[in-house]
Amino acid sequence: MGESSGRDEARPTGLGLEDLTWEPVAAPRVRARQLLRPLLAVLGSLTLVLALGLLPATLVLGGTAQRAVEGWEGIDAELPPVVAKQRTVLLDRNGRKWGQLFTENRVATSLDEISPHVVDALLATEDRRFYDHGALDLRALARAVVNNVAGADLQGASTLSQQLVENLRVLSATTDEQRGEAKAASLGGKLAELKLATELERTYTKDQILEAYLNAVYLGNGAYGVEAAARRYFSTSARELSADQAATLVAMLKSPAAYDPVDRPAASRQRRDVVMARMVAEGFLDRDTYQRLRARPTRLTESRPRSGCAASQFPYYCALLIEHVLSSPEFGRTREQRQDLLSGGGLVIRTALDPAATRAAEQAADAGFGRENRVAAAVAVMQPGSGQVVAVAQNRTFGAPDDAEDRSHTEVVYAGRRFQTGSTFKPLTLAAALEQGLGVRTAYDTPNGLYLDALDEPDGGFKNDDRSGHGVLDAYGATRSSTNTYFVQLLADVGVKQTASVARRLGLTGIPDDLSGREGSLTLGAYESSPLELATAYATLAARGKRCDPVLVLSAKAVTTGEDLPVPDGDCHQAISSAVAIQVSDVLQAPFDPGGTARAVRLAGGRPAAGKTGTTDDNAAVWFAGYTPQYAAAVWVGDPRGGQAHPLTGVWAHGYTHSVLYGGSGAGPVWRQTMEAVHEGLEPRWYPSVAGAAATLVNRTVPSVQGIATAQAATLLADAGFELRVRRRTAAADHLPADVVADQEPAAGATAGREQVVTLTLTDGSRTDLDLSGLDRNERSP
């Protein structure tokens, strides 16, 4: 015969015990003081029988048994989830695996995908009558009682259902106390276990219980379940396990440490032979095959699965993704619930990550600065109109630094960390000005050392980077040369608070909402935003004013059920009018013109693009942000230890040492190399004529609807000519009832153009699926 299952065949006969390798059962002389153990075993075993109502209470030790019966219904125990923790697998946008997360190395596997040898070895060794008894095996229990009275060692009689309950209770425990209770060998603990096993047998089929068991058990070296163990020890699947491999794994059920095939091969082999002998005795394995397999060791082919971001192909995207999931209520009500789902919920998450784009960004950052440089470069690339984050990269190796001098390693994702944005903020001031009715040809004289009554200025007034005046400029000329005093005057005419409101609408959510209105440094990028937030703002301009929050997750599916889970969808909505966005995009071509700050980083082939350099005070950091209709990217460069203390002077970058680094010379080349790579093979695209856009600019004031009923707010906004959308997410608001507006965006008093959508956040308990018919458009999204 071959190595096939014998469950459906007649058991072999004439096989004596001398042909099998059984574990020896010691039977030393029993001392008087040792009699207590078997007596307790008899008491416990008979009480378990009694607890199931199988014998009258009066026949079993009177009061003790009666108390057990009375306590059965009062046992406070809840059946843990039968589905044990699984891996979360991370896929890229093309469906290819690039990482996995798990606290327990387990791969969910159905029973029909597990080798019959595993089932045979398990039943022969642990519970040969599994399919014939209920939660309790009375024959095994009686045999254990006799053995425990006759011998010095206790013999167990737990069924697979009882063992599964214990495993599930241990795995679901969150404290040492709970784990201790799950493993308790006391009468109360065993009664609780038996009650839960009874519930298990009532709720699930035998095959379901067996499948759950084979997925739950710990098999050493971090492997939970048969599939993970098959990969760990033999680099194969559970389906392909041979008889001796299956026996090796089942051998570890008695003690994963004592019978570890890696660290204790001799003990493992001895126990393996015991398992195979029992397979022969139960008719699951023929004698010849047993003798042949017994004669040789089972060969190991180890595979060590790695978990976490450090083990993934794209660790910085992974780290950003984890924080994104932990902050998204779609994955659970609390951060703790989201963490449990992510690390053990058995998800398949398809992400927006584009491997080619990410590698291109990594190569650009590494080529510009290397990994040992004190200066770091971070890149975020996003798709306009969808918010999909296709790439996150930086010139560092993921991991904790070896020491204080190690500059090459970090676990900080700089693309998600906030820094002063410098002059990359200026286009947002221009967008606010266009909303207010000012035009791109609005002109100012631009002296160095400018004082304005409306704004708080630094000592010596507002200065240009070159400490020179640039004469009278319009938006094109000022953006080409990044002239500070032009944008300060524009800010004064528009208003600080109005400009901050536009910036928040575009995606710079870190801009404070309690500004006094005199902060002239706002337009010069004194407030902090992350590269990902800046990419969001520029992607909004690229999408003609349609803002989408960063989308890292495209879909999520539960492994065990195949169910699609809800995921954040980017909350896409019109943040500013398309006319404003198109005009800003036209102006942002100017830096690439001759004499512009970005002239050296024009995209190859004359591909049209919009972009802006940024340099913060004292060269603490430099930026470049820009876009085409297809992609937007933001690049930050700075010293992670702090730019004020470690300015960008004497920096090696892009092949030589720079006395001073600027946005165009430091961040710009990284942006260009990244964007040229992600656009490879794409046809150049641009926007319609700005002349037509100018005709659609209007000047309207957003009314206040905060604190009033939803229906009334809808009518008020419609009458004012605004479109309306309602978020599905609600917000807590003190002293306000349900179906009332808790917040609005843009804020009351802001000026907005045609196509502007006002987004309402309602109070907790509100309906967010109201029929607001009569409006031109009613977009609702989470």
Side-chain angles (χ1 to χ4, degrees):
M1 293 185 187
E3 299 177 27
S4 61
S5 169
R7 270 184 294 173
D8 298 323
E9 303 170 2
R11 297 182 182 181
T13 58
L15 185 64
L17 290 180
E18 68 278 3
D19 296 309
L20 303 179
T21 305
W22 298 102
E23 285 188 310
V25 178
R29 185 176 300 169
V30 180
R31 299 178 184 176
R33 65 184 182 184
Q34 291 178 305
L35 291 175
L36 181 61
R37 294 178 70 197
L39 288 175
L40 287 176
V42 173
L43 175 62
S45 299
L46 292 178
T47 304
L48 289 177
V49 175
L50 176 66
L52 289 180
L54 299 173
L55 291 176
T58 54
L59 296 182
V60 186
L61 301 178
T64 300
Q66 185 64 41
R67 285 194 298 273
V69 172
E70 292 171 352
W72 176 258
E73 295 300 330
I75 294 174
D76 183 16
E78 183 178 350
L79 186 64
V82 173
V83 179
K85 291 182 178 180
Q86 310 290 340
R87 298 183 186 185
T88 287
V89 177
L90 306 179
L91 308 179
D92 64 26
R93 64 189 305 107
N94 304 313
R96 297 185 182 92
K97 179 180 174 181
W98 60 270
Q100 60 186 2
L101 308 171
F102 57 81
T103 53
E104 296 171 4
N105 176 25
R106 179 183 286 105
V107 182
T109 309
S110 61
L111 188 60
D112 59 5
E113 293 177 329
I114 297 174
S115 167
H117 295 303
V118 176
V119 177
D120 294 343
L122 177 65
L123 297 181
T125 309
E126 298 294 322
D127 193 349
R128 65 188 181 91
R129 297 185 61 255
F130 172 70
Y131 281 94
D132 300 324
H133 60 66
L136 186 69
D137 185 355
L138 295 180
R139 291 185 188 177
L141 183 62
R143 185 172 61 250
V145 170
V146 173
N147 180 81
N148 293 339
V149 171
D153 292 329
L154 295 180
Q155 177 175 317
S158 293
T159 64
L160 287 182
S161 296
Q162 290 173 272
Q163 293 180 40
L164 175 58
V165 165
E166 180 180 326
N167 272 282
L168 294 176
R169 293 177 77 192
V170 171
L171 292 172
S172 63
T174 57
T175 65
D176 290 339
E177 181 180 0
Q178 290 174 343
R179 279 183 282 272
E181 291 175 357
K183 294 180 178 181
S186 64
L187 177 60
K190 287 300 179 184
L191 283 172
E193 180 183 284
L194 182 56
K195 182 175 183 179
L196 293 178
T198 304
E199 179 65 24
L200 187 75
E201 291 266 357
R202 252 196 310 261
T203 307
Y204 299 96
T205 67
K206 286 288 189 178
D207 281 352
Q208 288 174 323
I209 293 172
L210 188 60
E211 178 179 297
Y213 183 95
L214 291 171
N215 278 292
V217 290
Y218 180 62
L219 294 170
N221 288 284
Y224 289 82
V226 174
E227 180 67 34
R231 299 182 188 185
R232 173 66 181 83
Y233 297 111
F234 306 116
S235 296
T236 190
S237 66
R239 182 193 298 272
E240 300 300 325
L241 287 170
S242 62
D244 60 323
Q245 290 173 334
T248 301
L249 298 185
V250 171
M252 283 188 284
L253 293 176
K254 184 172 177 125
S255 173
Y259 301 109
D260 182 345
V262 177
D263 294 333
R264 306 194 66 180
S268 171
R269 181 176 179 180
Q270 182 182 26
R271 178 64 183 167
R272 177 207 67 175
D273 292 347
V274 170
V275 174
M276 290 195 298
R278 291 182 179 175
M279 292 172 70
V280 172
E282 295 299 326
F284 296 143
L285 190 67
D286 66 85
R287 179 178 177 178
D288 291 342
T289 300
Y290 164 74
Q291 295 289 5
R292 176 171 55 82
L293 294 177
R294 182 187 175 193
R296 57 177 172 80
T298 299
R299 181 182 177 185
L300 299 182
T301 307
E302 292 188 69
S303 174
R304 300 177 184 272
R306 301 174 64 202
S307 171
C309 291
S312 72
Q313 294 181 50
F314 306 104
Y316 291 109
Y317 197 104
C318 173
L320 195 68
L321 172 72
I322 288 176
E323 183 55 37
H324 177 68
V325 170
L326 296 182
S327 303
S328 299
E330 289 82 359
F331 293 100
R333 295 182 59 186
T334 66
R335 192 175 178 91
E336 290 73 21
Q337 289 176 342
R338 299 164 203 154
Q339 179 65 69
D340 288 343
L341 179 65
L342 186 63
S343 60
L347 304 181
V348 175
I349 297 178
R350 189 166 70 91
T351 67
L353 180 141
D354 184 328
T358 303
R359 291 190 180 99
E362 289 175 347
Q363 291 167 6
D366 285 342
F369 296 92
R371 300 206 172 184
E372 300 290 339
N373 203 321
R374 71 174 178 89
V375 173
V379 188
V381 185
M382 180 183 286
Q383 277 189 345
S386 71
Q388 294 180 17
V389 180
V390 299
V392 169
Q394 58 197 56
N395 64 323
R396 291 292 189 266
T397 300
F398 191 88
D402 292 334
D403 52 54
E405 300 301 318
D406 182 3
R407 299 169 178 171
S408 63
H409 290 76
T410 186
E411 295 179 357
V412 177
V413 185
Y414 297 130
R417 188 174 177 181
R418 286 174 174 162
F419 309 94
Q420 289 185 341
T421 56
S423 295
T424 56
F425 188 93
K426 290 172 180 175
L428 281 62
T429 306
L430 177 59
L434 294 174
E435 272 200 354
Q436 292 280 356
L438 298 175
V440 292
R441 296 302 179 184
T442 299
Y444 301 100
D445 188 23
T446 58
N448 186 59
L450 175 69
Y451 292 89
L452 294 171
D453 292 337
L455 302 174
D456 294 331
E457 65 278 324
D459 292 341
F462 292 102
K463 299 180 178 64
N464 295 319
D465 284 344
D466 60 1
R467 301 301 188 262
S468 301
H470 290 253
V472 177
L473 297 174
D474 62 11
Y476 289 93
T479 302
R480 180 183 300 111
S481 58
S482 194
T483 304
N484 292 342
T485 54
Y486 176 92
F487 286 96
V488 170
Q489 293 175 82
L490 191 63
L491 177 70
D493 284 346
V494 175
V496 170
K497 292 186 177 181
Q498 291 83 348
T499 302
S501 173
V502 170
R504 285 191 291 271
R505 271 192 272 145
L506 289 172
L508 301 191
T509 56
I511 303 297
D513 56 7
D514 59 351
L515 299 177
S516 69
R518 294 187 56 83
E519 294 85 354
S521 61
L522 174 69
T523 193
L524 304 179
Y527 293 93
E528 295 183 342
S529 296
S530 69
L532 189 57
E533 289 174 326
L534 193 63
T536 301
Y538 276 59
T540 302
L541 296 172
R544 305 187 190 187
K546 181 181 179 182
R547 170 186 159 184
C548 299
D549 293 336
V551 171
L552 284 81
V553 177
L554 300 182
S555 66
K557 184 186 294 290
V559 172
T560 53
T561 65
E563 177 187 3
D564 289 323
L565 304 180
V567 298
D569 70 351
D571 195 19
C572 298
H573 60 280
Q574 199 73 26
I576 60 173
S577 73
S578 59
V580 168
I582 289 171
Q583 289 214 331
V584 173
S585 298
D586 193 65
V587 172
L588 283 178
Q589 292 184 94
F592 296 103
D593 292 342
T597 56
R599 61 190 180 277
V601 292
R602 287 178 61 89
L603 296 181
R607 182 185 294 273
K612 184 70 186 72
T613 56
T615 303
T616 63
D617 287 343
D618 302 319
N619 292 91
V622 297
W623 292 77
F624 196 96
Y627 55 89
T628 69
Q630 292 111 320
Y631 288 101
V635 179
W636 164 86
V637 173
D639 192 315
R641 296 172 296 175
Q644 298 298 327
H646 304 279
L648 299 180
T649 55
V651 174
W652 185 92
H654 307 293
Y656 65 98
T657 300
H658 300 245
S659 57
V660 180
L661 207 60
Y662 295 97
S665 60
V670 177
W671 177 86
R672 178 182 59 189
Q673 183 175 335
T674 300
M675 291 289 277
E676 288 181 348
V678 299
H679 283 84
E680 187 174 354
L682 297 179
E683 290 294 326
R685 288 168 47 195
W686 197 238
Y687 301 97
S689 170
V690 74
T696 68
L697 290 172
V698 294
N699 187 13
R700 295 179 297 168
T701 302
V702 179
S704 175
V705 294
Q706 192 169 348
I708 67 175
T710 309
Q712 182 183 354
T715 301
L716 192 61
L717 290 168
D719 289 345
F722 291 99
E723 300 177 29
L724 171 66
R725 64 186 294 275
V726 177
R727 294 185 190 274
R728 289 194 189 133
R729 298 177 188 171
T730 58
D734 293 339
H735 312 300
L736 289 179
D739 298 318
V740 168
V741 179
D743 194 15
Q744 68 179 86
E745 184 185 287
T751 303
R754 189 177 301 165
E755 297 180 309
Q756 176 64 58
V757 175
V758 177
T759 300
L760 303 183
T761 302
L762 306 184
T763 51
D764 284 344
S766 300
R767 288 186 56 195
T768 58
D769 58 348
L770 299 175
D771 180 11
L772 300 174
S773 58
L775 301 179
D776 292 335
R777 185 189 312 166
N778 178 32
E779 301 179 18
R780 299 179 183 88
S781 59

